[in-house]
Amino acid sequence: MAAPNSFDPRDPVALAQALIRCPSVTPAEGGALALVERVLASAGFSVDRVIFCEAGTPDVENLYARLGSGPPHLLFAGHTDVVPPGDESRWRDPPFAGALRDGVLYGRGAADMKGGIAAFLAAALDHVATHGPPQGSIGFLITGDEEGPSVNGTVKLLDWARARGEVFDHCIVGEPTNPNALGDMIKIGRRGSFSAVLRVSGRQGHVAYPHLARNPVRALFALAAELQAPLDEGNAWFQPSNVEIVDLRAGTGAFNVIPAEAEARLNVRFNDRWTLASLDAELRRRLNAVTLGDITWELVPQRGNSESFLTAPGAFVDLVCASIERVTGRRPELSTTGGTSDARFIKDHCPVIEFGLVGKTMHQIDEQVAVADLNALTAIYRAILGDYFAAFASSSASSSPPSPAGAPSAGG
């Protein structure tokens, strides 16, 4: 791998290219965090690389870096791990070559999200080189586990940082948030995610003698139908909550056997009218309303479920919007649409928003990012840094504890 002094780390294109050339498919570090460490350490950041382990899950390397010792503390967060490239023969260029052609950078992670990491690293390095150490602190929290189980990554790294006394005032997650053009959209919140397995137990028997069996499949259909009624109508910031059955499993493989068990896997994306606890209670209330006789069911929530959150518009969101508009000429839409991200964990520590590249090609073959977008995103992050410390250095918000999950924080 090329050493950081073989290119200018303040050039986001060269830095993104170097990161793409690190084959960091979850959970492999692939040299990506090592590259980030060298770049930041050479600029005076203190850098820690932390490995977290848990039985039954892969060990994961993570990175935390900071420059400065006081508030306000602006944190940039992201991940260097990427999804597998799939059939590499279908790529025009090798997925980890970092090919640059006709103003476009190609490679796995170009959009999601090595391009975003390169942009906020380059912006921070340029800000420090131009203005000196920040009038507060700049931090980076980068995991190698976002595209995987998300067990040994951001959650544990945040807990590790909190145990060391680290306090964050605001965070920007550099995930690709724009649907069509840079400047389209900021994510100021996300719906929660609740996954569960609905298991139904009956009695196995011969299909010719159904009165001697208890068919769990029939019961499962009735239970699933009860869950399909709308949960709510949404609100000003969130779409309606929805229950989706994503998988059905039953049977012995034979056409003449009624099975003993059946199960459905479901996911609910829910807005801030619900919590995990209230949603679980509502689903059980609906299921209990179905008459099943001596057939029984159980609802088993899965690990990794997350609450919804909203960073209410205010000074910080306005500052980010103004920086985006100044560079792109677009006033971004404030949105809570889409899937989950590691922002769902960061929201327990400080107000957080997401803003990064255009996400059209993320996880696709020939994933790509326009060089012009990389440079523009770097300029946006640079503008945010330039305004942030002037706006928040004297703010009393920096001495306030984080607000509860889902609630707006001072200065947020």
Side-chain angles (χ1 to χ4, degrees):
M1 182 187 304
N5 60 6
S6 65
F7 61 89
D8 182 357
R10 289 184 290 173
D11 176 357
V13 179
L15 185 50
Q17 193 172 38
L19 285 168
I20 290 169
R21 288 171 177 167
C22 300
S24 52
V25 176
T26 316
E29 184 271 333
L33 291 176
L35 175 59
V36 172
E37 178 184 18
R38 292 198 298 270
V39 165
L40 288 175
S42 68
F45 283 77
S46 63
V47 184
D48 289 282
R49 285 172 61 189
V50 190
I51 299 176
F52 295 115
C53 314
E54 185 170 318
T57 62
D59 297 353
V60 174
E61 284 198 55
N62 305 273
L63 180 145
Y64 176 70
R66 179 172 182 166
L67 181 66
S69 58
H73 188 169
L74 178 59
L75 182 70
F76 290 91
H79 61 93
T80 53
D81 63 313
V82 297
V83 298
D87 183 355
E88 296 191 19
S89 67
R90 297 180 61 192
W91 288 69
R92 179 172 177 178
D93 302 285
F96 299 109
L100 189 59
R101 185 175 52 254
D102 300 325
V104 178
L105 177 62
Y106 295 86
R108 176 58 80 224
D112 186 16
M113 61 164 288
K114 290 180 175 179
I117 287 178
F120 61 52
L121 288 174
L125 295 178
D126 187 66
H127 178 84
V128 172
T130 303
H131 301 286
Q135 202 177 0
S137 301
I138 301 172
F140 294 97
L141 189 139
I142 301 177
T143 182
D145 191 32
E146 198 272 350
E147 299 289 10
S150 296
V151 171
N152 292 320
T154 296
V155 173
K156 291 183 178 178
L157 190 58
L158 286 165
D159 290 342
W160 172 89
R162 175 177 278 173
R164 285 164 44 109
E166 300 288 339
V167 176
F168 313 119
D169 293 292
H170 298 93
C171 179
I172 298 173
V173 178
E175 289 280 3
T177 58
N178 296 286
N180 295 301
L182 194 70
D184 279 347
M185 184 177 290
I186 293 175
K187 304 287 187 179
I188 61 168
R190 295 280 190 166
R191 290 177 295 171
S193 178
F194 176 89
S195 294
V197 176
L198 174 60
R199 295 195 178 104
V200 184
S201 298
R203 182 189 303 161
Q204 185 170 312
H206 197 297
V207 296
Y209 304 93
H211 60 288
L212 299 177
R214 297 292 181 270
N215 193 332
V217 178
R218 287 175 176 267
L220 181 61
F221 287 162
L223 291 166
E226 191 67 24
L227 297 178
Q228 298 305 298
L231 287 167
D232 58 61
E233 297 179 352
N235 56 35
W237 288 113
F238 287 95
Q239 298 170 283
S241 305
N242 63 298
V243 181
E244 296 296 336
I245 305 295
V246 298
D247 192 16
L248 296 170
R249 302 182 181 190
T252 64
F255 282 93
N256 60 348
V257 178
I258 294 171
E261 295 183 343
E263 72 174 38
R265 299 187 174 205
L266 60 92
N267 180 265
V268 188
R269 295 302 167 101
F270 61 95
N271 58 42
D272 60 354
R273 296 178 62 174
W274 303 92
T275 65
L276 288 171
S278 67
L279 179 63
D280 183 274
E282 171 63 14
L283 297 183
R284 292 177 189 276
R285 184 194 67 77
R286 293 183 177 200
L287 295 171
N288 280 321
V290 180
T291 302
L292 299 175
D294 55 359
I295 292 178
T296 61
W297 59 265
E298 62 173 337
L299 185 69
V300 184
Q302 301 299 288
R303 185 172 183 176
N305 289 339
S306 59
E307 301 283 3
S308 67
F309 75 95
L310 177 70
T311 297
F316 178 58
V317 174
D318 289 346
L319 184 149
V320 174
C321 287
S323 297
I324 294 168
E325 188 171 20
R326 192 155 71 241
V327 173
T328 68
R330 297 183 182 88
R331 189 73 177 180
E333 175 188 353
L334 304 182
S335 173
T336 62
T337 58
T340 60
S341 76
D342 278 0
R344 71 189 189 273
F345 308 126
I346 299 168
K347 61 95 169 59
D348 294 328
H349 296 253
C350 67
V352 56
I353 61 100
E354 301 172 49
F355 181 74
L357 292 163
V358 175
K360 281 184 175 181
T361 65
M362 56 184 174
H363 295 200
Q364 294 184 8
I365 291 172
D366 293 333
E367 184 178 350
Q368 59 193 261
V369 59
V371 167
D373 281 356
L374 267 178
N375 287 325
L377 181 60
T378 304
I380 291 168
Y381 289 148
R382 196 162 48 232
I384 291 170
L385 284 163
D387 293 341
Y388 180 81
F389 295 104
F392 290 99
S394 60
S395 172
S396 60
S398 60
S399 61
S400 302
S403 296
S409 174

